[in-house]
Amino acid sequence: MKNGQIKTAIFDMDGTIYQLDGDNGGWKNSTLQKKVKSNSAKLVSEKENISIDASEAIIEDLNQKGTFLSLYAVEKYGLTRKEFFDEVWNIDPSTIVTNYQEALTVLAELANQNIELILLTQAPQVWQKNVFAFLKLQNIFAEIHTGENYLHKTDIFPLIAQTRNPKTVLSIGDQLHTDITPAAEQGFHVFHVTSPKDLLK
């Protein structure tokens, strides 16, 4: 694959542009996970007028059933998914995101080569905007797709393929089942990373 063939690069966010302060740089046991869990319990507690313990039990039951809390909040409390995420995910990333310098270097280089950059993240917009403000990435991406606009990232790859030559698109991410496999199915080039440091390759 020659660099000249690539006109568009799709980037995942968590685990690709940066890591979190959790286990192996991931979501589990990260400060972000803990704060989202705490904010979710507080929201349910206030809406249901119940204790935090009782609200945590409701959330755990939804998790066991595989139900998204955001969809539960839409149906039960009349919130939009954006309103739910704005309440639960409005978190300061400055002490949570780590290992991002390599990604900033690579993104700047790609932008200098006039390669179109697309962000495709499962994270909600409020978290994405907070992260981009912290990393000073507000103006570098031509398109940004965040989690409140879809339930599954795999829905977005065909939309990108409709307006671009798949042979000129590269998808970069750390999750095979959401970043790599569905992109390859569209005929995109793919690059699987295990940490942001891999981007230097």
Side-chain angles (χ1 to χ4, degrees):
M1 180 179 65
K2 298 177 182 177
N3 288 341
Q5 294 177 319
I6 300 301
K7 295 182 178 179
T8 301
I10 305 168
F11 276 81
D12 171 51
M13 196 167 72
D14 290 6
T16 302
I17 294 177
Y18 57 83
Q19 292 181 310
L20 299 173
D21 62 353
D23 297 353
N24 301 312
W27 163 260
K28 188 176 180 183
N29 293 322
S30 66
T31 304
L32 180 61
Q33 183 190 38
K34 292 170 185 174
K35 288 191 174 184
V36 168
K37 182 178 179 181
S38 173
N39 290 346
S40 297
K42 182 181 176 185
L43 174 69
V44 173
S45 172
E46 290 173 351
K47 293 295 184 182
E48 302 270 1
N49 195 24
I50 56 177
S51 70
I52 292 293
D53 286 346
S55 66
E56 287 176 347
I58 289 174
I59 293 168
E60 180 59 29
D61 182 58
L62 293 172
N63 288 338
Q64 294 291 331
K65 293 176 180 175
T67 301
F68 290 108
L69 180 57
S70 60
L71 297 182
Y72 178 84
V74 168
E75 184 176 331
K76 189 80 184 288
Y77 310 136
L79 299 175
T80 65
R81 291 185 78 223
K82 185 177 187 322
E83 288 170 338
F84 168 80
F85 287 128
D86 285 352
E87 184 80 21
V88 171
W89 280 78
N90 190 9
I91 296 164
D92 179 3
S94 60
T95 60
I96 299 174
V97 302
T98 62
N99 301 329
Y100 49 79
Q101 290 300 338
E102 292 87 357
L104 298 186
T105 300
V106 169
L107 287 168
E109 175 64 25
L110 293 175
N112 286 338
Q113 294 178 22
N114 294 317
I115 291 176
E116 176 191 37
L117 299 176
I118 297 177
L119 184 78
L120 177 53
T121 176
Q122 194 72 48
Q125 184 183 64
V126 65
W127 171 249
Q128 173 264 315
K129 284 189 170 182
N130 288 350
V131 169
F132 273 29
F134 173 61
L135 298 180
K136 297 180 172 55
L137 289 174
Q138 297 99 319
N139 302 312
I140 198 170
F141 283 84
E143 284 184 22
I144 295 176
H145 301 275
T146 55
E148 64 260 50
N149 298 321
Y150 57 86
L151 287 179
H152 305 288
K153 289 174 71 172
T154 50
D155 297 338
I156 304 300
F157 289 107
L159 301 180
I160 295 173
Q162 287 174 10
T163 54
R164 295 159 183 88
N165 178 352
K167 293 180 181 179
T168 67
V169 179
L170 171 65
S171 180
I172 303 165
D174 66 315
Q175 299 293 323
L176 286 171
H177 67 288
T178 57
D179 304 322
I180 303 303
T181 302
E185 288 172 351
Q186 297 298 322
F188 298 166
H189 297 281
V190 293
F191 183 54
H192 181 225
V193 300
T194 57
S195 80
K197 289 181 172 60
D198 292 341
L199 295 174
L200 295 175
K201 299 176 182 177

